[in-house]
Amino acid sequence: MALDGKTFSVLRESSSQDDYQRVLVKGTVFARMAPDQKAQLVRDLQSIGYGVAMCGDGANDCGALKAAHAGISLSETEASVASPFTSKIPDISCVPILLREGRCALVTSFSIFKFMALYSLAEFITVSILYSYESNLGDWQYLYIDLVLVFAFSVVMGYTGPHPHLVKRRPLGTLAGVHVMLSLGLQTLLLIVFQISALLYLQKQPWYQPLNPDPESRNIRCSENTVLFQISIFQYVALAVSLSTAAPYRRPLYTNVWFLLALGILFPLNIYLTLAPAHWWTWLWEWLQMKPHPSLWFSVAIVELALFNFLISHLLEGYILPSECVRVLLRWVRCKTKPRNKYKHLLSSIPPNWPFTSHS
């Protein structure tokens, strides 16, 4: 349907609410409208659940630009003051660019939030297990995790650009959603399982000697501390990679040069801290308060366990949770049988011959 400003005013004032809202969802062209009519149209579309973008290049568009969810000024006149975005491209071809950038920014924010939440949980799990042995992480171990690993990845994760193609499906819009909570829960379960698995594998070694805690010491330099520290530093790397999801909203991870640089430095460093003999860099082992393992094959097994952890974490975030089967299951869990947006209900309720009626 196409209508001008006068028709829009008549319909809004004289027709029933159902008919007016049907016009809104069926309307394709709204032309020759006054500034207040443009702003009212934006607000009415928002009231039935639409996310509204508005492009304008003059002072008469300022009201609608302010009311819209995303106002884009196509010039540097008064409209640029009223709108949050100003495009150097003087036509609506800038809208797909804004959509791609906005979706990328939203997905990146959620990924960094989940990374920081899971980093805290991973460290909490490690410390809780060590407390049961009357031990703890050392000060320099905390600094290596917080300032080297987590800080580096939390900074470079945001440099991945938007995907060049738009998809129909929108990204998640809330942190409190079932999908986000399920991801956090499953990743936390993986952290617990692999840290406990590494500790149990340590206790089965013939050379293992249980910690005899000293009440006057923090008991940091022990096998339990070293194993949990070594497995956990790989888990932080695995989380950073797994949560840096690519398509359909972001470019592939290999396009993020800064992330690859951080990964290329920190992952080999973790390998070295796990596999290198203590006599190579004695000061580093002393600095991190780690106790060398008598068996090299045990250290190799810890790395293999960490890589298996990474594989499951990546499959979970990259393939299992985004799958259609999981989406259908979550909709069933939430008992979502009908769409929640009002405009979708309106579209499904409009008769095929509306607004024409049969006189037969």
Side-chain angles (χ1 to χ4, degrees), residues 184-206:
L184 291 174
L186 292 176
Q187 291 289 357
T188 303
L189 182 62
L190 284 180
L191 295 172
I192 297 172
V193 167
F194 280 94
Q195 289 195 28
I196 293 179
S197 298
L199 194 60
L200 293 177
Y201 183 64
L202 167 69
Q203 294 173 352
K204 291 183 179 181
Q205 302 307 305

Side-chain angles (χ1 to χ4, degrees), residues 140-351:
W140 291 106
Q141 291 175 339
Y142 276 117
L143 287 174
Y144 178 77
I145 293 172
D146 297 344
L147 294 183
V148 178
L149 292 176
V150 175
F151 177 75
F153 283 120
S154 62
V155 170
V156 299
M157 283 176 68
Y159 283 94
T160 305
H163 199 274
H165 303 293
L166 278 173
V167 294
K168 184 177 181 180
R169 189 178 74 232
R170 293 182 299 176
L172 297 173
T174 175
L175 284 172
V178 179
H179 197 278
V180 175
M181 294 298 117
L182 180 63
S183 173
L184 291 174
L186 292 176
Q187 291 289 357
T188 303
L189 182 62
L190 284 180
L191 295 172
I192 297 172
V193 167
F194 280 94
Q195 289 195 28
I196 293 179
S197 298
L199 194 60
L200 293 177
Y201 183 64
L202 167 69
Q203 294 173 352
K204 291 183 179 181
Q205 302 307 305
W207 45 263
Y208 169 70
Q209 295 181 354
L211 174 64
N212 185 16
D214 181 2
E216 298 181 359
S217 172
R218 295 176 63 190
N219 303 307
I220 294 174
R221 191 178 175 85
C222 61
S223 297
E224 292 84 357
N225 170 283
T226 302
V227 166
L228 289 177
F229 174 72
Q230 288 173 337
I231 190 70
S232 67
I233 59 178
F234 284 103
Q235 288 181 325
Y236 300 120
V237 178
L239 288 173
V241 175
S242 302
L243 295 174
S244 297
T245 51
Y249 307 113
R250 294 194 289 181
R251 290 182 179 273
L253 189 59
Y254 60 78
T255 61
N256 188 340
V257 179
W258 291 107
F259 190 96
L260 293 182
L261 180 62
L263 186 63
I265 294 173
L266 298 177
F267 185 74
L269 182 56
N270 288 350
I271 292 285
Y272 179 84
L273 291 176
T274 307
L275 298 181
H279 65 268
W280 282 15
W281 282 8
T282 307
W283 66 269
L284 185 60
W285 286 77
E286 294 291 339
W287 179 53
L288 291 173
Q289 297 176 274
M290 295 195 303
K291 182 179 179 180
H293 304 305
S295 172
L296 176 61
W297 293 111
F298 175 80
S299 299
V300 172
I302 293 298
V303 174
E304 292 175 348
L305 190 65
L307 293 177
F308 188 49
N309 184 176
F310 164 73
L311 178 62
I312 298 178
S313 178
H314 182 67
L315 289 175
L316 188 66
E317 291 294 332
Y319 298 95
I320 298 176
L321 289 178
S323 65
E324 188 61 30
C325 294
V326 174
R327 291 180 177 273
V328 172
L329 178 62
L330 292 180
R331 282 198 293 267
W332 178 79
V333 170
R334 292 180 295 172
C335 301
K336 184 180 178 181
T337 57
K338 296 181 180 179
R340 296 179 180 178
N341 292 321
K342 190 174 181 178
Y343 71 88
K344 293 181 180 179
H345 291 283
L346 289 168
L347 286 171
S348 62
S349 66
I350 296 177

Side-chain angles (χ1 to χ4, degrees), residues 2-16 20 23-24 30-41 44:
L3 57 157
D4 60 10
K6 292 182 179 180
T7 308
F8 173 79
S9 296
V10 172
L11 285 172
R12 192 171 189 279
E13 295 172 2
S14 304
S15 62
S16 65
Y20 173 67
V23 171
L24 291 179
F30 297 87
R32 306 194 63 80
M33 301 179 71
D36 58 333
Q37 291 175 331
K38 295 179 182 180
Q40 189 61 57
L41 174 61
D44 291 344

